[in-house]
Amino acid sequence: MMFKKILSLIMAAMMTFSLSACGRTPAGSNSTESRKPVSSEGDASSSVQSETLETADGSTLVVYFSWSGNTEEMASYIAEQVGGDLYEIIPEVPYPEDYNETGDIAKAERDENNRPTIANLPDSIEQYDTIVVGYPIWWHTAPMIIGTFLESYDLAGKEIYPFTQSASMDTEQFDNSIEFVRENADGADVHDGLFARPSDTAAIDAYLSENGLSQ
Ligand SMILES: Cc1cc2nc3c(=O)[nH]c(=O)nc-3n(C[C@H](O)[C@H](O)[C@H](O)COP(=O)(O)O)c2cc1C
């Protein structure tokens, strides 16, 4: 009995370690520790909560998924710089507020190559030629819900620009995520992505201007 208790304590400690050992603990000034509340009214993204996207200038969509706000910060900045419409992917089943619980769900989703359902999927994104797609690195690649979004449309002829950031800023994980976007964006031209911290506006500006995306 005692042995079992000790064993489960050791296992719990190992799990906590493995979660932080791969650079998963949000660290540094760009990270927030708990999950932001799911978009409330008045959010920048609230105008596109319905299934029909309202088009401002009609050509660039900045779409993002963010669990704790860092990608959201980057996406808002990018939308401002490119003059695009901002749309937040909201999962039908919200991820828990707890980091480790979200970690476990996200890992299972990745291992099973799941496509979690999106609550607010736009009917059409036909009006956009350019799609800038942002996400955090989850388990060394993009969150599976990015695959859900990309697979929902005919993306032939679209220009896609991925952007991401993570706790470790490991470039191999970034490369994996770009590969994931390419695999899921059938027919689109997926450009080399941006891997920068949300606070690094110099890197973001440089990327946007190199790719002719700045206003
Ligand atoms: C489920 C989950 C998995 C994560 N996996 C990784 C990972 O594999 N590598 C890494 O460097 N950071 C990982 N992180 C850390 C996030 O990439 C980092 O906290 C990021 O800034 C979160 O962006 P967000 O605020 O837009 O959600 C993970 C975070 C979560 C919640």
Side-chain angles (χ1 to χ4, degrees), residues 90-181:
I90 297 175
E92 189 163 273
V93 179
Y95 289 98
E97 305 229 345
D98 183 82
Y99 190 92
N100 291 349
E101 281 176 32
T102 296
D104 290 346
I105 294 169
K107 184 166 188 305
E109 286 174 353
R110 189 210 59 182
D111 290 350
E112 291 159 19
N113 197 24
N114 283 350
R115 293 292 178 269
T117 307
I118 295 174
N120 61 338
L121 194 69
D123 288 336
S124 165
I125 55 166
E126 217 175 304
Q127 65 269 41
Y128 301 102
D129 310 323
T130 302
I131 302 167
V132 187
V133 188
Y135 51 85
I137 296 290
W138 272 15
W139 288 105
H140 301 196
T141 185
M144 294 299 105
I145 203 160
I146 294 299
T148 311
F149 174 81
L150 296 169
E151 287 180 355
S152 298
Y153 303 101
D154 175 6
L155 299 174
K158 308 255 185 226
E159 306 287 333
I160 296 192
Y161 296 88
F163 69 94
T164 183
Q165 46 72 42
S166 74
S168 65
M169 294 301 287
D170 180 318
T171 54
E172 203 176 309
Q173 299 179 11
F174 165 62
D175 292 344
N176 292 342
S177 81
I178 300 297
E179 203 177 302
F180 179 81
V181 171

